[in-house]
Amino acid sequence: MFKKCCFIFIFVVQYQLSFSEKMETNMEVINIHEHWQFKKASQKNWMEAEVPGCIHTDLIKNKIIKGPFYRTVEKEIQWIGEEDWEYQTTFDVPDKILKKENVEIIFKGIDTYADIYLNGNLLISTYNMFREWRVNVKDILKAKGNALHIYFHNVFKVDLPKWENAPFRLSAFPNNDQSDIQIAMYARKAQFHYGWDWGPRLITCGIWRPVQLIAWNDFIIRDIFIRQDSVSKECAQLTAVVEAEAAEEVSAQLWFYQGEVEIDEQSVQLITGMNKFEIPIEVENPRLWWTNGLGEQYLYKFSVELQNGKHHKAQSVKTGLRDLKIIREKDDQGTSFYVQLNGIPVFMKGANYIPQDNFQNRVTPERYEYLIRSAAESNMNMLRVWGGGIYENDIFYELCDRYGILIWQDMMFACAMYPGDENFLENVEQEVSQNVKRLRNHPCIALYCGNNENEISWYQWNWKQQYPSEIQEKYESDLHRLFYQIIPDAIQKVDPKRYYHPTSPNTGYNSIPISEGDVHYWGVWHGHEPFSSYRDNIGRFMSEYGFQSYPDISSIEKFTLPEDRYVKSPVLLAHQKCYADKRRNKEYAERIIQNYMKLYYGFIPEDFEDYVYLTQILQVLGITMAIESHRANKLSCMGTMYWQLNDCWPVISWSSIDYYGRWKPLHYRIKDRYKNIIVTGKVESNNLVLNVISDGLDGKKVGLMVNISDFRGQKLCSFSKEMEINPDKPVTMNLENLIMEDLVKIKNRVFILINLIDEDKNVIEQKILFIDDLKNLKLEIPNIDIKVKREGKNFFIKLNSDIFVRDLVLYSNADGHFSDNCINLLPSEKKTIVFYPSKRINNDDLEVKIKSLNGLYSLYK
């Protein structure tokens, strides 16, 4: 129920459009997306272009270049980013638009340096791909043949002089801006365009977001912001902040609605320029918005209408009502870092998200839906939008609202030093203000973060030591001003309630211990530390860690020829971007993978498909240990986000879902390890130590059953216990006498099966441990019976084995994913797995292959 409250009128002078559903009447909007052409600035021949789009996809469409993701084409087309390009179109304007008092052209996204002309008049020169640009063109437009022309300047022409004339050289991580002269930090452009340790160097330009004409009379509603002042299950105190611009002073009537119910009506006096209205609202017994796995994601709709008799405007927004706080409090360990949602501390389970494609125009609504649904299906409740990419499109945040995925939103700065001049800072201020204003109604936005690794790189990666003391002092002043003044002040003005985190990580440098905040832990991988180090390096919030694997074989086949498919082939090395440091050793990452293979399995497979499989289950082994260690330390550690969820091109990387959308084995294991209730454990000095963790809202009675069996299914020892688990604290158990001396003698032939059983006798969690090291296990070749049966459009795969099977992975020749994968198959267990194809296929067209650690051990040990 809503209560009508008092009405406040405030005058302001600045605006930007926010996320909203447009319902205006008496306002005309047309897209300028047709009849576009492009050409190289030094040439005369014009070719067809697509808008929104980018130069690379237009060149591909016109068969000027091959797709840059294929083989080593990336290297062949670096010239594109070094050229200037021109785009043009002509368009007619309907009479109903020309008759409007105000006509604006809006460029939602221009990448990056461009001069924009309309009918020969210079409208604007752009210099930030993250900003929206708006110009009143009422006096320039004509009815027929309006000529819109955009000249794109290449980034080298614009930014090399900045580099050459800079008072000192700015540093960037050499894996990222993959050039001897690093200029990425001078451009307000997606930093990953210049290359990253998982992405290609493809420096784009183009009209990457829509171009529109908007025409209106008298006044226009610019924005609605639903500020959530206080929210509880009993009552939500809100303030609707409405911004409207008037061409001249006018009287109007304002109505405000929740859904279809009118909750406020006021007579208002609009003055020339921008007007702001604040409408307090009270919602009794609100339906709260919850994260994935804890409750519903209910969205309220709020609408405003303005009418002055002859003109009527309307606009609406959707938002979820929730009380969300980031709790940063001193305690006996350091300083906490956790999400409190609707009064409940919630453990964050998620991943780091990067752009889904180097060419944003190829990311369709279907791709957005698939990836966010895949995150939700794997029981995630948070994604981090990483700072070297883009402020994502509205659909991304809308889907996260719907699926209950919170967003850690980086500002777009990563792994580099940035300029501190006034022009740069003013540009950033506008960028942040526009984007935060666009995002602030989304309930999924949990926090804003100033940058990715900009402080740890300066203080901990030996960058600081490269400069004399006076430059150190100057840069630290610039860094502080940008991330501790300019950005947070810009956020505070438009979204005052959300938490701002100046940098990630905020520990690990300047003697700041990991008990003080969020952690990027790369001791495993770059530091060559064993996976067990994950247990010893646990901060309050683990915001980055990871381990690489190859994509699926069927994905590799899409960007290679058969002769390319061997380890360290030139083509595969071209799709491996982790080069370590300025030496850019292309075999660096492969050596890391192989060293870990030898450490945990004792061999390196010779067959390429076996090698690909082993990289994938090696990744599963490491990341599983990390996640379980973080969750076992719940309360102290309250978040785990591995690097990374997805890829922007086909590549050997840290992702759990490859570029083509195929779930790697890791993503299936993530789905299992991110369940609300799990068991973690380890064997120490023949003692079994178990942790039972619950992330639900309520306590639960379960039965714990522990069985030790040999690989042929002979039960050797068992233990059972009734217990109650609660979300406020993990249960830790030390079973000291379970592993007897007789078991130790055959420890390489036995496994420990731990089951949690609910009151309905259902197994709700299963965990398998070993007494011996993985590489010592005597895994035998199993007899696996596989039956595939189609039901509807899906396929049911029934599996049965005579002996224990470790890390059984199913592969299909069709696009889609399995209900489960990367499983351990118990002796005589009957297991059914469903394959969900992306599109309907015939019965005989599905091929299912399997690989297991048993099979590899029989070949290589």
Side-chain angles (χ1 to χ4, degrees), residues 348-389:
M348 292 292 102
K349 296 171 290 193
N352 287 266
Y353 169 92
I354 67 171
Q356 294 181 50
D357 204 299
N358 277 82
F359 312 130
Q360 182 63 33
N361 52 298
R362 300 205 296 204
V363 186
T364 62
E366 291 76 20
R367 283 179 68 178
Y368 275 115
E369 172 83 31
Y370 176 80
L371 192 64
I372 300 305
R373 186 175 68 245
S374 293
E377 288 178 357
S378 60
N379 299 306
M380 293 186 188
N381 57 15
M382 177 174 268
L383 293 174
R384 174 180 175 229
V385 176
W386 165 79

Side-chain angles (χ1 to χ4, degrees), residues 307-324:
Q307 186 171 343
N308 70 343
K310 58 179 180 177
H311 298 299
H312 174 262
K313 306 292 190 303
Q315 189 170 315
S316 69
V317 296
K318 287 183 178 180
T319 192
L321 304 184
R322 82 288 187 276
D323 175 53
L324 190 149

